[in-house]
DNA sequence: GCAGGACATTCGAATATTGTTATGTCGTGA
DNA sequence: TCACGACATAACAATATTCGAATGTCCTGC
């Protein structure tokens, strides 16, 4: 049902697309579609340097795609609820598509191999 | 129904998003969601210089979002059918969202005010 | 063939984005 | 309070993107 899409803020939509127009950030969103993760998870699962992981997450946060919370030493990231109905629908489609992909599944497996999804180390 | 989304080529998806991560190009897609148009239409409706209109259309074409055909002196652009099921779904959502927006409606009205949707001049 | 219109491409300067190295901040545990 | 780990930010060079001006290509009408 597309009735939820009642508005479209062009500026917000372009920011949304721009943030997702990068393979690394798409892979981050793919991992997050399986649940909450902290920065070190992205480093190991995607082979990113620590500053790079942090910055890509910052880009996604600026675009309103992810949000974070601190828990002790760690900062956990999760997909942010979308205020804009259009972005909400797009992100939903994206997340559902991420349930089936091979390459991205390798990322998830690399993540699970390194450590359980809850504990950091 | 999202059953059509059986694959997700991450590289193609990021190219797709990257091309749409720009306000001008989103407005172009908005106009195209109402039908086929030639370059001069974008110039007048969106206030773009000729080289800029051409270039933005080129970006969208490289990403496989639009395709073009020549008719006499004019080159007509239209939305391209999406091969990738994921991009197809995303573009569909985008087009359906463009049916309701105010700002973008101004673009369309500016387009129609300048000239009929079929004749160039 | 020639002139002119419609569009594409090239070039160059300004600006933005990228990844790495170095450094800063914050919370934890001793 | 001090050292350390997790993360963020700054600083930098390399690269990419942006737009306008100039130029090139293709088609049409004469």
């Amino acid at each position: 049902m597309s009735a939820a899409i009642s508005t479209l803020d062009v500026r917000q939509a372009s920011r949304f697309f721009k943030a997702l127009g990068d393979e690394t950030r798409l892979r981050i969103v793919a991992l997050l579609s399986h649940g909450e993760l902290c920065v070190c998870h992205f480093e190991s699962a995607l082979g990113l340097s620590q500053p790079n992981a942090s910055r890509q997450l910052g880009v996604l946060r600026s675009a309103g795609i992810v949000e974070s919370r601190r828990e002790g030493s760690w900062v956990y990231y999760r997909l942010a609820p979308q205020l804009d109905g259009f972005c909400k629908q797009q992100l939903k489609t994206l997340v559902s598509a991420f349930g089936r992909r091979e390459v991205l599944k390798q990322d998830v497996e690399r993540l699970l191999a390194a450590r359980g999804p809850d504990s950091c180390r």
Side-chain angles (χ1 to χ4, degrees), chain A residues 32 35-37 42 57 65-69 76-81:
Chain A
L32 285 176
E36 197 179 45
L37 292 170
F42 301 107
L57 286 164
I65 293 172
V66 306
E67 58 189 16
S68 62
R69 70 182 174 86
Y76 284 88
Y77 283 83
R78 60 175 172 268
L79 295 177

Side-chain angles (χ1 to χ4, degrees), chain A residues 13-85:
Chain A
S14 65
R15 267 193 299 242
F16 178 86
F17 282 130
K18 189 171 188 177
L20 293 177
D22 176 278
E23 266 191 69
T24 299
R25 291 193 290 267
L26 271 185
R27 289 167 77 201
I28 287 176
V29 171
L31 290 182
L32 285 176
S33 71
H34 297 288
E36 197 179 45
L37 292 170
C38 71
V39 182
C40 65
H41 290 139
F42 301 107
E43 296 178 40
S44 57
L46 303 182
L48 301 176
S49 68
Q50 182 271 315
N52 196 16
S54 181
R55 201 152 39 99
Q56 303 293 2
L57 286 164
V59 171
L60 289 171
R61 183 171 44 195
S62 301
I65 293 172
V66 306
E67 58 189 16
S68 62
R69 70 182 174 86
R70 169 148 233 144
E71 182 172 322
S73 297
W74 301 283
V75 175
Y76 284 88
Y77 283 83
R78 60 175 172 268
L79 295 177
Q82 297 299 303
L83 305 177
D84 184 285

Side-chain angles (χ1 to χ4, degrees), chain A residues 86-99:
Chain A
F86 167 75
C87 294
K88 182 173 186 162
Q89 175 63 33
Q90 295 291 89
L91 193 55
K92 187 179 166 188
T93 301
L94 186 56
V95 167
S96 91
F98 278 143

